Amino acid sequence: MWAAGARAQVAPPAPDSVAVGDWHLAPVVEARVRGEYRHDLDGQDRGTLLERARLGVDAERGPIELRVVLEDARLWDLGEGFDTFGQPGQFAFTGPYEAWADAHTAGARPSFVRVGRQPVTWGEGRLLGAADWSPTGRALDAVRGRLVVGSWAFELLAASLSDPLPPAGAVFSPAYGELVGARAEWAIDPLFAVEAYTLERVAQQNPMASLDETVRGETYTGALRLHGDARGWTWGAEGAGQLGHVSVFNQDRLAWAAAGHVGYTFEYVRMLPTVRLGASYASGDDGTSSKREQFDPLLPDVHEWHGAMDLFAWSNEWEGNARVAAAPWTDAVAAVEYRYAQLATAAGSWVSSYLFTLGRAPGNTSAELGHEIDAYLAWSPWVPVELSAGYSMLVLGAGAKAALSAERLTPPDLAHYAYGQVTVRLP
């Protein structure tokens, strides 16, 4: 008789792609349903239901990769048929979300050349982002190239611009301009990296959300970003300057913006609590200057840096915010965030994250927009599924009420927003 050890047998992980000849094919599947309720800025109660489904395939063969993803997105008003104030209105859209081909090198940081419709995010998405929270997300018809040399990376972009949300029943999104950009990154250390980029937009017409129809013309934006993420710390600081010409007012642009945040995760504390402080500023315009001084954030992310209610933007605003997050149980995140916001120029326009003008009072002397509190909970009971819910409220300040009253609205003292969302995503 003798004794021997027995090793547990571990099943190999399931493959995430299928080999077809020399190609490896992987499905791309996403389904998202979100219900929203708002006690809106005009005092009305509104509900919306958003559905978005994406289905496609990613094919790779050595240095060549192809991706085609189709999207169906629909937004329904659940109340009296009036669009939510300052947010996307009722629509239906079916079409390609991604359709691109690229050639790339191997490695964790590959160089590549990519052509076709593709989502693009530079930096933290404050000036160029995929805006995935929005009903359709944002993808650009673009040619994009990236070259990695050691700790440096260089990127060029040329894209055609069109409205991300076409009018209901439209066959296609009308093009309104072109965007070209150049970017350089230098990763010195995980806690210190530098990114500099320029974006030039030439618009022949104003899109639907157009910052008071000031998009048409030429806009030249330069930005510098410093950031890091290591040893529990996450931080970022970004500044941008803007020149160009606004056709509707026949004015030259002269605007600027800055933003920063710092956060720390207590990695050895139960529930991994994280705290983050942030601030941002973007210049505004009251119509008294010979130049257009309101900063245009170009193609920003929504629902990311300016609150869950999507009522503020990196344009004619300054704000301070604080966020506390934790993992109450496995695969869950809960967070509470507070922000205080003001207009940078009291008599200028107040715009939402979608760049709709919410209000403007030329004689306004109060800059206070108000206090926003956001609460959020997300849980992934298994890998493909995420359940999330949130509640927000905004205590309107005197500046916000003056801007809305100038639009012949009766603003409430308190605005509310609540949502519930289910997302299924593969891989």
Side-chain angles (χ1 to χ4, degrees):
M1 298 178 64
W2 66 90
R7 296 180 179 270
Q9 301 298 308
V10 178
D16 55 9
S17 63
V18 177
V20 179
D22 293 331
W23 291 88
H24 290 271
L25 308 182
V28 180
V29 180
E30 180 193 276
R32 186 177 80 178
V33 178
R34 183 169 74 236
E36 298 182 339
Y37 160 79
R38 289 180 185 267
H39 183 65
D40 228 334
L41 296 177
D42 56 359
Q44 301 298 312
D45 293 312
R46 295 188 173 93
T48 58
L49 179 65
L50 169 68
E51 167 271 326
R52 189 177 78 189
R54 291 174 179 167
L55 179 63
V57 63
D58 185 277
E60 190 168 5
R61 177 182 179 182
I64 304 300
E65 184 175 2
L66 310 173
R67 177 177 287 221
V68 176
V69 179
L70 300 179
E71 176 179 74
D72 181 85
R74 300 169 188 272
L75 189 152
W76 294 277
D77 287 322
L78 300 181
E80 299 177 358
F82 298 102
D83 292 340
T84 305
F85 191 70
Q87 310 295 320
Q90 182 169 278
F91 78 99
F93 172 77
T94 302
Y97 172 66
E98 291 184 83
W100 52 262
D102 81 3
H104 58 268
T105 62
R109 300 175 66 231
S111 301
F112 63 82
V113 175
R114 182 172 297 171
V115 180
R117 179 165 295 184
Q118 54 193 285
V120 182
T121 297
W122 280 10
E124 294 175 332
R126 294 183 186 272
L127 293 171
L128 178 58
D132 189 64
W133 179 266
S134 66
T136 61
R138 179 185 295 119
L140 303 178
D141 295 320
V143 178
R144 182 180 170 206
R146 182 179 176 89
L147 174 64
V148 177
V149 182
S151 59
W152 287 84
F154 304 92
E155 190 168 333
L156 296 175
L157 170 73
S160 174
L161 299 179
S162 59
D163 279 328
L165 294 178
V171 178
F172 59 89
S173 301
Y176 68 85
E178 298 81 42
L179 180 77
V180 296
R183 179 171 69 147
E185 297 177 82
W186 184 26
I188 303 170
D189 181 87
L191 263 178
F192 189 81
V194 180
E195 178 182 0
Y197 59 97
T198 62
L199 290 165
E200 175 187 348
R201 183 188 64 200
V202 179
Q204 290 79 37
Q205 58 179 302
N206 286 296
M208 290 180 293
S210 62
L211 287 168
D212 298 322
E213 299 186 348
T214 60
V215 170
R216 187 164 65 91
E218 300 83 40
T219 307
Y220 308 99
T221 305
L224 177 66
R225 175 176 171 248
L226 310 177
H227 62 100
D229 186 354
R231 298 187 288 276
W233 288 97
T234 301
W235 71 279
E238 185 170 353
Q242 208 162 64
L243 301 172
H245 186 76
V246 180
S247 297
V248 69
F249 295 128
N250 194 26
Q251 288 181 315
D252 291 332
R253 289 188 188 275
L254 182 60
W256 69 283
H261 63 90
V262 59
Y264 182 73
T265 299
F266 296 87
E267 297 178 330
Y268 303 106
V269 177
R270 187 178 180 182
M271 295 195 299
L272 297 173
T274 299
V275 295
R276 188 183 76 188
L277 301 176
S280 68
Y281 173 87
S283 59
D285 189 290
D286 60 5
T288 61
S289 173
S290 61
K291 296 184 181 296
R292 181 67 181 181
E293 297 179 339
Q294 181 158 347
F295 189 78
D296 185 335
L298 301 179
L299 301 171
D301 273 332
V302 297
H303 206 78
E304 188 69 28
W305 293 109
H306 299 283
M309 297 182 77
D310 292 319
L311 296 178
F312 308 123
W314 209 26
S315 180
N316 189 30
E317 65 92 41
W318 76 261
E319 69 171 64
N321 56 78
R323 176 185 173 93
V324 178
W329 62 85
T330 303
D331 299 321
V333 175
V336 176
E337 186 169 5
Y338 165 80
R339 69 181 4 87
Y340 174 73
Q342 286 196 349
L343 294 168
T345 301
S349 297
W350 172 20
V351 297
S352 73
S353 295
Y354 289 95
L355 307 188
F356 290 105
T357 297
L358 299 175
R360 177 188 178 104
N364 184 25
T365 58
S366 175
E368 185 181 44
L369 292 176
H371 308 260
E372 180 177 333
I373 298 175
D374 304 320
Y376 165 82
L377 175 64
W379 176 43
S380 179
W382 59 93
V383 174
V385 177
E386 181 182 88
L387 310 176
S388 60
Y391 170 77
S392 303
M393 66 177 181
L394 173 66
V395 181
L396 275 72
K401 291 181 178 180
L404 295 171
S405 297
E407 303 296 325
R408 299 182 179 180
L409 299 175
T410 304
D413 293 325
L414 193 65
H416 301 269
Y417 168 63
Y419 73 90
Q421 177 172 283
V422 179
T423 304
V424 179
R425 186 180 291 113
L426 294 173

